[in-house]
Amino acid sequence: MTLRATLQARLAERRERGLYRQLKTLEAAPSPTAVVDGRSMVAFSSNDYLGLACHPQVIAAQQEGARLGAGATASHLVNGHLQIHEALQEEIAAATGREAALVFSSGYAANMGTICALIGRGDSIVSDKLNHASLIDGARLSRAESLRFAHSDTAALARQLQRARNTGGNTLVAVDGVYSMDGDCAPLAEIAGLCREHDAWLMVDEAHGFGLMGSEKLPVAGSAAAMGLTGEDAPILMGTLGKAAGNAGAFVAGSRELIDYLVQFARTYIYTTGMPPAVASGALAALQVMQREPERQQRLRNNIDRFRRGAAERGLPLGDSTSPIQPLLLGCDQTVMRVAAELATQGFLVGAIRPPTVPVGTARLRITLSAAHDPAQITALLAALDSALEDAGALSTGSSEVRP
Ligand SMILES: *Cc1c(COP(=O)(O)O)cnc(C)c1O
């Protein structure tokens, strides 16, 4: 078949299954208001949980950083490693309570590169079934024996760890700290205990934990710190700089040896152009703001509570999440699309998440909250959800009884 015919056939099949994805073009990043096709909307879909992407000091820091060069001009190991990257890495190491950190150009690259550097043929990788695509792809590319366990099922994890032990070699356990499409937290204390018992190495992806939660001493370090895990318990900590930090890129934090090792062996670090200095500078400023202004975390928590209270009063099918990621499970792909379209008509942008991003039959609205939302916007979203869900017939099972 010709290339054109092949592409057309596959696109047609996607459309027929109702899974065709379309880009929305915004005039600027949501703050959380955004202009889409000339219309002003409130976004409940971005990962800018602390409102740092549009923070004047963060933007000013990016502009300042751009004076160091629009690009890094080479990979980090050639001549693309600047003082601003060092400063950012030191700030990340301090904020996560680890000896050192290494920046990558994206979370995707950080996960792929780290997993493939640490394990290979003859080793095992044990992953939660709902792990982010970048962890799954890293597992595949590593050529290690890939073992999966049912979501957050620690008994199933224990069985897979036993199997991995029988395989021989080293074992890496990789989990999201906060799951990107469900918003629930991994049972990290139990997972770390099992890893200790089975001599497995634990890697935690803090894409949705970093900046938002932590311990008293490390308030922005993420979910592992929030659950009392130390650097011994979770020796490989990955986080992103494009979510709560509002910029782009990612990091791995850990021991000095781990970071030295990744510089030598992580191919997605070595064979790619260094992070643009503007991004490093913006991310550094964002880390400083998030630590200096803990009230942002508090505002976010208040907004999450407000949304969950309102959704519970309405009997909406909320997931079990206390994070800013609040999934409304509707199940049917078409229903999710209809409700999202109706919300858009009413001026709200929410994520409509379908397979293959989530398992078949679990299509959902992925509503995300930010410290930047004001309470009135959340109240308005809840009201819009009422009518959008009713119009789409989304809550067919007794929604009228639970609604006030
Ligand atoms: C977004 C995300 C990534 C990828 O990070 P990018 O910097 O966007 O490439 C990795 N893991 C999880 C859990 C994520 O949500």
Short mmCIF file of all heavy atoms in Angstrom, two decimals, residues 106-108 111 132 134 176 180 205 207-208 238 240 243 249, ligand 1:
data_model
loop_
_atom_site.label_atom_id
_atom_site.label_comp_id
_atom_site.label_asym_id
_atom_site.label_seq_id
_atom_site.Cartn_x
_atom_site.Cartn_y
_atom_site.Cartn_z
N SER A 106 12.90 16.55 28.82
CA SER A 106 11.48 16.28 29.10
C SER A 106 11.39 15.12 30.08
O SER A 106 12.36 14.37 30.28
CB SER A 106 10.73 15.92 27.81
OG SER A 106 11.08 14.62 27.39
N GLY A 107 10.22 14.96 30.66
CA GLY A 107 9.98 13.84 31.55
C GLY A 107 10.02 12.53 30.78
O GLY A 107 10.48 11.50 31.29
N TYR A 108 9.54 12.59 29.56
CA TYR A 108 9.56 11.41 28.71
C TYR A 108 11.00 10.92 28.54
O TYR A 108 11.31 9.74 28.72
CB TYR A 108 8.92 11.76 27.36
CG TYR A 108 8.52 10.57 26.55
CD1 TYR A 108 7.19 10.17 26.49
CD2 TYR A 108 9.46 9.84 25.84
CE1 TYR A 108 6.82 9.06 25.75
CE2 TYR A 108 9.10 8.74 25.10
CZ TYR A 108 7.78 8.35 25.06
OH TYR A 108 7.42 7.26 24.34
N ASN A 111 12.54 9.51 31.90
CA ASN A 111 12.13 8.15 32.25
C ASN A 111 12.75 7.11 31.31
O ASN A 111 13.28 6.10 31.76
CB ASN A 111 10.60 8.03 32.22
CG ASN A 111 9.98 8.59 33.50
OD1 ASN A 111 10.65 8.71 34.52
ND2 ASN A 111 8.71 8.94 33.44
N HIS A 132 2.65 5.83 33.66
CA HIS A 132 2.70 6.74 32.52
C HIS A 132 3.40 6.08 31.31
O HIS A 132 4.31 5.25 31.49
CB HIS A 132 3.46 8.00 32.92
CG HIS A 132 3.40 9.09 31.91
ND1 HIS A 132 4.40 9.31 30.99
CD2 HIS A 132 2.43 10.00 31.64
CE1 HIS A 132 4.07 10.34 30.22
NE2 HIS A 132 2.88 10.77 30.60
N SER A 134 5.64 6.99 29.38
CA SER A 134 7.11 7.11 29.30
C SER A 134 7.81 6.03 30.13
O SER A 134 8.90 5.58 29.77
CB SER A 134 7.55 8.50 29.75
OG SER A 134 7.02 8.80 31.02
N ASP A 176 4.32 5.64 39.28
CA ASP A 176 3.96 7.05 39.42
C ASP A 176 3.72 7.28 40.92
O ASP A 176 3.10 6.43 41.57
CB ASP A 176 2.63 7.35 38.70
CG ASP A 176 2.72 7.37 37.18
OD1 ASP A 176 3.71 6.84 36.62
OD2 ASP A 176 1.80 7.91 36.56
N SER A 180 -1.30 9.96 36.76
CA SER A 180 -1.59 11.13 35.94
C SER A 180 -3.02 11.21 35.46
O SER A 180 -3.53 12.30 35.20
CB SER A 180 -0.63 11.18 34.75
OG SER A 180 -0.66 9.95 34.03
N ASP A 205 8.09 8.34 39.93
CA ASP A 205 7.84 9.43 39.00
C ASP A 205 6.96 10.46 39.70
O ASP A 205 5.79 10.19 40.00
CB ASP A 205 7.15 8.85 37.76
CG ASP A 205 6.77 9.91 36.72
OD1 ASP A 205 6.61 11.08 37.09
OD2 ASP A 205 6.62 9.54 35.54
N ALA A 207 5.96 13.40 38.60
CA ALA A 207 5.46 14.42 37.66
C ALA A 207 4.30 15.22 38.27
O ALA A 207 4.19 16.43 38.04
CB ALA A 207 5.01 13.76 36.36
N HIS A 208 3.45 14.53 39.05
CA HIS A 208 2.28 15.22 39.63
C HIS A 208 2.37 15.32 41.15
O HIS A 208 1.37 15.57 41.81
CB HIS A 208 0.99 14.52 39.22
CG HIS A 208 0.84 14.42 37.74
ND1 HIS A 208 0.38 15.48 36.96
CD2 HIS A 208 1.14 13.43 36.87
CE1 HIS A 208 0.39 15.11 35.70
NE2 HIS A 208 0.85 13.88 35.60
N MET A 238 12.22 10.92 40.04
CA MET A 238 12.10 11.68 38.81
C MET A 238 10.99 12.71 39.01
O MET A 238 9.99 12.42 39.68
CB MET A 238 11.78 10.71 37.67
CG MET A 238 11.50 11.37 36.35
SD MET A 238 9.73 11.78 36.25
CE MET A 238 9.63 12.43 34.60
N THR A 240 9.06 16.43 37.01
CA THR A 240 9.04 17.25 35.80
C THR A 240 9.03 18.73 36.17
O THR A 240 8.64 19.12 37.26
CB THR A 240 7.84 16.93 34.89
OG1 THR A 240 6.64 17.23 35.59
CG2 THR A 240 7.83 15.47 34.49
N LYS A 243 5.08 20.87 34.81
CA LYS A 243 3.77 20.78 35.44
C LYS A 243 3.69 21.82 36.55
O LYS A 243 3.58 22.99 36.24
CB LYS A 243 3.51 19.34 35.84
CG LYS A 243 3.26 18.55 34.55
CD LYS A 243 3.21 17.08 34.65
CE LYS A 243 2.93 16.52 33.25
NZ LYS A 243 3.36 15.14 33.08
N GLY A 249 10.81 20.49 30.74
CA GLY A 249 11.96 19.69 31.14
C GLY A 249 11.65 18.85 32.36
O GLY A 249 10.50 18.81 32.82
C1 LIG B 1 3.74 14.34 31.99
C2 LIG B 1 4.34 13.11 32.56
C3 LIG B 1 5.59 12.66 32.14
C4 LIG B 1 6.32 13.27 30.98
O1 LIG B 1 6.83 14.52 31.31
P1 LIG B 1 7.10 15.58 30.13
O2 LIG B 1 8.05 16.53 30.73
O3 LIG B 1 5.77 16.18 29.82
O4 LIG B 1 7.67 14.80 28.99
C5 LIG B 1 6.13 11.56 32.77
N1 LIG B 1 5.47 10.94 33.76
C6 LIG B 1 4.24 11.32 34.16
C7 LIG B 1 3.55 10.57 35.25
C8 LIG B 1 3.64 12.42 33.56
O5 LIG B 1 2.41 12.79 33.93
#
